[in-house]
Amino acid sequence: MHAKAKVEAGYRFYALYDKISRDDILAHAYAQCRSNKGAPGIDGQDFADIEAYGVERWLAELTLAIREETYRPEPIRRVHIPKANGKLRPLGISTVRDRVCMTAAMLVLEPIFEADLPPEIYAYRTGRNAQQAVIEVEDQLFHGRPDVVDADLADYFGSIPHPELMKSVARRIVDPRVLHLIRLWLDCAVEETDDKGRKTRTTAAKDQRRGIPQGSPISPLLANLYMRRFVLGWRKLGLGQRLGARLVTYADDLVILCQKGNAEAALDHMRRLMGKLKLTVNEEKTRICKVPDETFDFLGYTFGRMYSPTTGRARMGYRPSKKSIKRTVDKIHALTEMTSTWQDPAVLIAKINRALRGWANYFSVGTTSKAYRAVDSYTLVRVRRWLRIKHRGKRRRARVYPDEYLYETIGLVRLTRLGRSSPWAKA
């Protein structure tokens, strides 16, 4: 289907609903959801419950419900997770049954819409990732686009209007049953539980006809599909050529890299386009940054002037941002709290290593050496402190836990030895 969509830009797909209920598609969707783990939805059912019930039996019942068109999604359980700025981000948790059905739909629909997504969109795409977006930003800065619109959209996922989104879907998908299925997911009620255990259900998405739930398997595809409208509108106006500007988007993160003197015009055009798309620019967080005199953050990295620690020469570069470093330091701090000394050291080290490797896997490009050293240093201090408290009375002095013991004997990960390090460091 991807090849067909790629070759024929105007081709519309009709018979897709039956593919979503195919045994192999649903089995693959279940396996994918299972590997992602995740908490149960409002019904409390988790993967262990399904496996106790019988996966084949459970999938057969879901298949029958889809084929007989009796399938209806359950309300979404809303939880709030902390953001870096201290605020809370709402996250929707669908039931496992709904997640499997949405994943099956995504497996069918994604190859079609992937053919239409422009290269400016990097998020949630096979073969594309945040690191590629970061490298593209550096490349554009290096090639004469130092004036940057660092844009922020207010509640992008929660603001996407349903009628316009469905038009984007229907441009390729004609199967009415698939369109109906997507509408059911968009109109899902939300259930929240307060501190006293009281549950309330709301239907804001259906009533206001806007918003897609963050956390559902189908949302990334729909978010990309709607962002495509902005990219195409930008192209249609010829703004890339007129302003010497390039877009780089990742979900709701967006930067516009412009030739000198054109950032103000680019920001003005972006505001107008977003307004037409019924999206809101967060004016408090949106700004113009003139590199290299100023720096800006994008996808966890800080971009700006870097200096060589050996020669002192300057160049344009990027490094893990202070916020990104603080987040991983805070995570290490939480893992090594005094209240956790009841656990075996091997268990703690395994948790810390997972956190460090995950952070290093993401921050694997750019100027990383200084950030790696900072995180390594903090981790050493915290692990030594944790071990001293755990073995209080047995080993009182810090010198009994030298670097060699922590790294070689108990196997603590050392970021500066994991991969490459850049010779560049921030002044």
Side-chain angles (χ1 to χ4, degrees), residues 352-363 418:
I352 293 174
N353 286 349
R354 277 196 297 272
L356 292 175
R357 285 196 179 98
W359 190 79
N361 283 341
Y362 182 84
F363 292 101
L418 276 182

Side-chain angles (χ1 to χ4, degrees), residues 365-382:
V365 295
T367 301
T368 60
S369 56
K370 189 174 181 180
Y372 281 11
R373 287 196 301 271
V375 174
D376 277 345
S377 177
Y378 184 81
T379 303
L380 281 175
V381 170
R382 292 294 297 181

